[in-house]
Every structure is written in structure tokens, then in C-alpha cells.
Amino acid sequence: MSDAEDVITRAHHEEWARVVAALTRRFGDLDIAEEAAAEAFATAVERWPADGVPPNPGAWLTTTANRKAIDRIRRENKRDDKHKEAQMVYDNDPPEPVGAVDDDRLRLIFTCCHPALAMEARLALTLRMVGGLTVPEIARAFLVAETAMERRITRAKAKIKAARIPYRVPAVEDLPARVSGVLAVLYLVFNEGYLATGPATDPLRHGLTAEAIRLTRLIRALMPGDGEVAGLLALMLLTEARRTARISAGGELVALDEQDRGAWDTGLIAEGHRLVRERLAAAAAGAAPGRYQILAAINAVHTSARDIRDTDWSQVLALYDQLVRLDPSPIIALNRAIAVAELDGPRVALAAVDRLEDKLAGYHAYHATRADLLRRQGHSQQSRAAYDKAIELAGNTAETAYLTRRRDQLR
Amino acid sequence: MRYLVSVIDDKSNPGSTDRRPAISAFNERLIAEGYWVFSGGLADTDAATVIDNRGEQAVFSDGPFVESKEYLAGVWVWEAPDLDVALKLAAEASKVCDRKVEVRPFR
């Protein structure tokens, strides 16, 4: 009994996107594909525990979903002509330029992450169509009412159909921009799990980080040659490795310098380091690394230090310098200043941070960083004011707890 | 698939007025490549008249966009196989006419 349930759970993880993608290609309609896939899985839940698991669960699910889709189209045969008319545009050429595999799942991912869709629609659609999460699950993850989430997904599907967003892997010349659009969606999902923005949820939501990693692994398998895909996966793994050490028993965020490094997940770190080494070799051969690869490398430096005092800060700073050239955003400059503080002291770092005031005055991490740098110079009064401001702006409960303790330790 | 491409101008920050030759050249290319169905620039919103004849008698008034900051300055109609093609052309169109453009499919 529970064997069949395990197989179904696994099949859902492994086969959902494949079934939806294949059906979308065959029937040219995301709605039909989604509904038929859901029905096929529901049938499996009903039958497999009693009848036994079929020898090839994936093939069984695809066949069953195909039959459900055909049933639905027949049932609505009145709509048939209209349906043919509204079919999505797809190409029949295998998407060879990106990788070794011709996989419909790539088409599905690029369609769900299409730049003509609003970012929140892309997130929802990707989690539903590629990730196989249910609408209530996605609604809970983003603190949106179920009906609103349902509407968001329905509207996105309607736009794909009405505006003819194609079901295809982009042309080689458009690929880097489109891949970075896909990665941005996955990184947002991951970050929401890594440090939830709202005060009304758990501060860390493992479900979301795990889902983001699973989907990034899938894209990595589909596009093994893409450096930024490898970089993002490494970045997620090296961040996730520290998950349990990031929250204290009392529910307070634990900063990097106070974490119990023995609690880090060595398996994830080893996997992340392997990916970073792979990209370093590519960079040595002349491939210019993108921002995810550089961020992953920074995390690799941190996770290589068994003690905070062993951290190679000059390496961290060199990587931030590289990143600033690629992405001159004030948030990167803020993080760079933290490395500067370790090398040149808090006074030099504070001067660099203060220059960012115009752009970051509304960002809690700006004030938290200032507070810490002021504290380290013994300016308790000013530090307290900066902590107050950071606490006022921070949304995450674990972070607020951490900042409050730090403030109250000042004398 | 047909797409309506609306050129959106901003009264407080209008696009440049010397775009005509570039737009003509772009139109010729659209025609040569088979995308062009129709195009035209519009007179100022001051010149618009709204007619509402749903009641007893026809009522005439100024257009609703006279007071608005953003307004429709011109249109294209294109025939394109899918949105990716239309968006690529629209990105060029925005540069060529120095204004925002909206791409909207016909039903």
C-alpha cells in the first residue's frame, strides 16, 4: 500500500513535467495538458494501490493522460474546430542547439517563463506546469488567496493562447537572454524560501528552496553546457547546505560568523564545489562567468572555511570586484563592503556603505550593515539608531529577532 | 496571427518629431518581409470626437484622451506567425519611432 504511494510520489516528481510537456506538444493546449495530467495522476492514486504499480509508470501515465485528453476533446467536439484554430504554435525541430536531448520539457519551461508574462504569472505557471504543485500549494507559498492564484494562472494561460506565445525553444541568438529569464524565476522561488519576505510565514520555507533546486537540477540536466545554469544550481546548493545552521533553536537568524559550521550539509557542499570547479575550469579556458557563477564562487569560498577566521576574504573581495563590473547594483556594492570591512576595517567599509544611502535608504540590510560597522567602531549610539531603522524595515521574523538581540547587546 | 501595435506617446515627455523617414524605411522593410497590413499616424487627441448614440439621440463630446498623459499616437497592424516574431519587430518599432509600443493580438 505505502509502496504504491511512494511510487506515485516519485512518479509525480519525475514524470509530471514530462507528461504535461508531451501533451501540450500533441494537443497544442496547456489547459488540456494540465487537466489530463492531473486526471491521470488521480487515476494512478486510485488504481495502483489495488492493481499494483505498472512496470513502466511514466509510460502508463502518459498513455492514460493522452486518453483523458482525447476523451475531453471528443466530449467537447462542438469546440473541436475552434480548438484546432486556437492551437499553440510549435516547431517540430528538435531543440538541438541547447543540448543533447530533445525534450518537450524545455519548450514548456521557456513558455511558462516567457518575458511577455508578468513575473508573478511566470512563477505561478512554472510551479504549476513544470513543478506540478497544486494551486492551493502555490497560493499558500505566496500568501495569495486560492481563487486569486487560480485566476492568475488562468489569465496567464489565456494570454499564451490569445497572443500566441509559442511552444518552442528560442533561437540560439535569443537563448542567453531567455535562459537568464528562466533562471530569474527559479532564483526568486528559491529566495522566497531562503528568506521569506513576509512576517506571516515561517522565516525559512524548505518546500520552496527544495522545489527551486529540483527544477534547476532539471534544467541542468536539459542544458548541461550552460554555465549560468550550473552557477545557479551551485549557488542554491551552497546556500541550502547552511539551512539548518541559519536558524537558532529560539527561531532567530544566525549570521554567517556565528553559525555552527559542523551543522552544514557536507553532501550539498561537495556537490556545489564540484559545480564551481567545473565552471572555474571553463573560465580558465576562456568562458566569461556570469553573475550566478561568481555568486556561487563567493559561496564556495565561505563554505571552504571550517572556521570563520579561515575565510579567504581577499578572494571574496576579488570576486565581488568581478561581480561589480558585471552588475553595478547598489546591493552588490553593499555586500562587497562587508568583505572590505574584514580586510581594511569597519571605518573604510562604512565610508563605502554611506555612499549608497540615496539608493538603499529603504532597504533593511543597508541599515543592518551600517549598524554592525558602527558597533565594531564603538559608536553605540549611532549603531542603535541604525538597528532601530533596520528592525523597522525587516519583514522576516527570524531576522527581526536577530537584529533586536544585536541592538539590545549594545551598551 | 494579426497584431495591433499601438504607438503610445507621453504629453509631458513626448518622443522626437523627426522620426518620419526612419518609420517609412521601417515600413518598407515590413512590407518586403510580408508583415505589414496597415499603418498610420494619428492627429492630436484635440482633434478627436466621441459619439454616443446608445440613448435617445447622438451626443458628441471631446475624446477621453484629451486630458490623459499618455495617448495613442499611431497604429500598425501586422501579420506575424507568433508573439516572439511580433515582439522582436515591436522592439525595433519602438526604437524607430522613439516611443513605447503595445502589442495586442486580434481575436
Side-chain angles (χ1 to χ4, degrees), chain A residues 47-96:
Chain A
R47 295 239 195 101
W48 292 3
D51 301 357
V53 174
N56 184 342
W60 187 95
L61 287 162
T62 306
T63 312
T64 307
N66 259 308
R67 210 175 299 130
K68 301 275 183 199
I70 291 166
D71 285 351
R72 171 171 161 186
I73 291 167
R74 286 215 185 105
R75 247 189 348 260
E76 302 177 8
N77 68 12
K78 206 170 53 194
R79 270 193 40 195
D80 206 24
D81 293 339
K82 234 169 131 189
H83 160 67
K84 273 191 207 119
E85 216 178 282
Q87 269 212 355
M88 292 170 68
V89 202
Y90 55 83
D91 67 336
N92 276 306
D93 307 323
E96 251 169 331

Side-chain angles (χ1 to χ4, degrees), chain A residues 89 114 116 162-166 168 173-174 178, chain B residues 1 3 80-85 87-88 105-106:
Chain A
V89 202
H114 196 277
R164 275 220 193 186
I165 289 179
R168 124 180 108 211
E173 70 265 25
D174 300 330
R178 293 289 305 277
Chain B
M1 187 83 186
Y3 296 93
D82 60 57
L83 188 68
D84 280 355
V85 177
L87 290 181
K88 218 168 215 181
F106 280 87

Side-chain angles (χ1 to χ4, degrees), chain A residues 193-272:
Chain A
Y194 170 72
L195 198 63
T197 42
T201 53
D202 291 343
L204 303 189
R205 286 179 299 163
H206 177 52
L208 282 180
T209 53
E211 185 60 24
I213 288 174
R214 195 171 72 80
L215 292 175
T216 309
R217 278 190 203 281
L218 168 64
I219 294 175
R220 159 89 178 150
L222 296 173
M223 300 195 292
D226 190 290
E228 280 295 83
V229 173
L232 180 60
L233 180 56
L235 172 59
M236 287 178 177
L237 293 171
L238 294 175
T239 311
E240 182 75 357
R242 307 194 296 258
R243 183 170 57 87
T244 47
R246 281 184 63 233
I247 294 282
S248 71
E252 188 181 294
L253 198 72
V254 184
L256 190 59
D257 58 339
E258 293 179 323
Q259 283 177 17
D260 168 12
R261 299 190 172 213
W264 289 356
D265 186 323
T266 49
L268 292 179
I269 289 177
E271 192 187 351

Side-chain angles (χ1 to χ4, degrees), chain A residues 171-372:
Chain A
V172 187
E173 70 265 25
D174 300 330
L175 206 58
R178 293 289 305 277
V179 171
S180 85
V182 171
L183 299 183
V185 168
L186 298 175
Y187 196 34
L188 268 177
V189 173
F190 184 84
N191 278 334
E192 189 53 33
Y194 170 72
L195 198 63
T197 42
T201 53
D202 291 343
L204 303 189
R205 286 179 299 163
H206 177 52
L208 282 180
T209 53
E211 185 60 24
I213 288 174
R214 195 171 72 80
L215 292 175
T216 309
R217 278 190 203 281
L218 168 64
I219 294 175
R220 159 89 178 150
L222 296 173
M223 300 195 292
D226 190 290
E228 280 295 83
V229 173
L232 180 60
L233 180 56
L235 172 59
M236 287 178 177
L237 293 171
L238 294 175
T239 311
E240 182 75 357
R242 307 194 296 258
R243 183 170 57 87
T244 47
R246 281 184 63 233
I247 294 282
S248 71
E252 188 181 294
L253 198 72
V254 184
L256 190 59
D257 58 339
E258 293 179 323
Q259 283 177 17
D260 168 12
R261 299 190 172 213
W264 289 356
D265 186 323
T266 49
L268 292 179
I269 289 177
E271 192 187 351
H273 284 187
R274 260 199 311 281
L275 287 164
V276 170
R277 276 197 300 274
E278 177 191 312
R279 294 319 306 164
L280 285 175
R291 64 186 289 258
Y292 295 123
Q293 291 168 74
I294 300 172
L295 284 168
I298 292 169
N299 277 274
V301 176
H302 285 306
T303 46
S304 297
R306 307 187 73 189
D307 187 292
I308 179 81
R309 284 166 303 202
D310 300 336
T311 307
D312 184 350
W313 288 105
S314 56
Q315 178 78 359
V316 172
L317 185 61
L319 287 162
Y320 270 117
D321 285 340
Q322 207 178 341
L323 193 55
V324 167
R325 282 196 292 276
L326 212 65
D327 176 3
S329 83
I331 292 181
I332 304 277
L334 179 68
N335 288 321
R336 181 183 175 280
I338 295 170
V340 170
E342 297 301 325
L343 289 167
D344 302 332
R347 207 175 53 82
V348 180
L350 185 62
V353 171
D354 281 343
R355 281 197 292 275
L356 304 169
E357 189 186 358
D358 285 356
K359 287 161 189 149
L360 295 181
Y363 182 46
H364 73 274
Y366 163 78
H367 298 283
T369 307
R370 284 195 76 237
D372 187 54

